[in-house]
Amino acid sequence: AILHSVVDYPLRMLAIEAAFGFLCALLIPAPPVAQIAKRRGAIGWLAVVPVLGCLYAVVVAGLAGHALTTDSVPLAEALSNRSSAAASYAARSALDHNPSKAMALAETALRRSPLDAAALSTLALAQEKHGDDKGATALMNVAASAGGWDDATQIWMFDRARDAGRYDTAMERADALLRREVLQDELYPMLLQMANSPEAATALLLRLEELPDWRGDFLQWADNHDTADRDALDRLWAMLARSDAPPSAREAAVHIAGLIRNHRYAQARRIWAWAIHGK
């Protein structure tokens, strides 16, 4: 086989390697029957070790999953040295009331899983609470590029992009979050405030013209929420009325009801006339 591979198919091909290995095994004399039985017994005992290890890993993963689905922070903390997911969850839970503890738990999670996006973002937020803005920014950038999805990372990146005037990027982050139906109560007020800035309002309008799934819910929230910025809502409606995707009849009806509820009858009549006659 070795000589033939010099002029034909090389020995490095997997199929030929397998055949060559089998032929080499045939050259080795078989051991006595007693020795075979002894080896099998030793191999059997050695096989118990990886089986027990796998069983332990399955139990830990199951308990960690149970802690996450049932919001059991004490169980997650107890498993923090054995499960990166549990340590990351416990770190996020401790962030608001004990940033130092959150930092320690996040570092524990990262020792087991260095690219855990949730642990990276939690560590960044904890550092931010301790005044280390530069370190927090660096960690958040790593979390954003780690490949995993983390809501806290995305809304942090939205905030930073908006504050830096990169409104298109900010709207990409917001759209990704809202399509997953998360953090609406945090994002809707921020999006409405963007209507007060011409550049930010343009980015918001362009995204709304694409008719995303969350557009109706966003406009309904703005009409029904008592703390919503009414001036920003008026500007947004004025832009939408002139846009390539004007408000639908349902959106107009919700807005009119909101105006009437806030005793803004003249404006409600103008929106009604626009919805009926287009003017």
Side-chain angles (χ1 to χ4, degrees), residues 3 11 70 72 81 94 104 114 124 140 158-159 161 194 211 247 252 262 274:
L3 293 175
L11 187 59
T70 59
S72 178
N81 288 324
M140 275 297 186
F158 164 81
D159 278 336
M194 290 175 67
L211 301 177
N262 288 279
W274 173 85

Side-chain angles (χ1 to χ4, degrees), residues 9 38 51 185 191 228 232 262:
Y9 292 102
K38 184 178 179 180
V51 170
D185 291 339
L191 294 184
N262 288 279

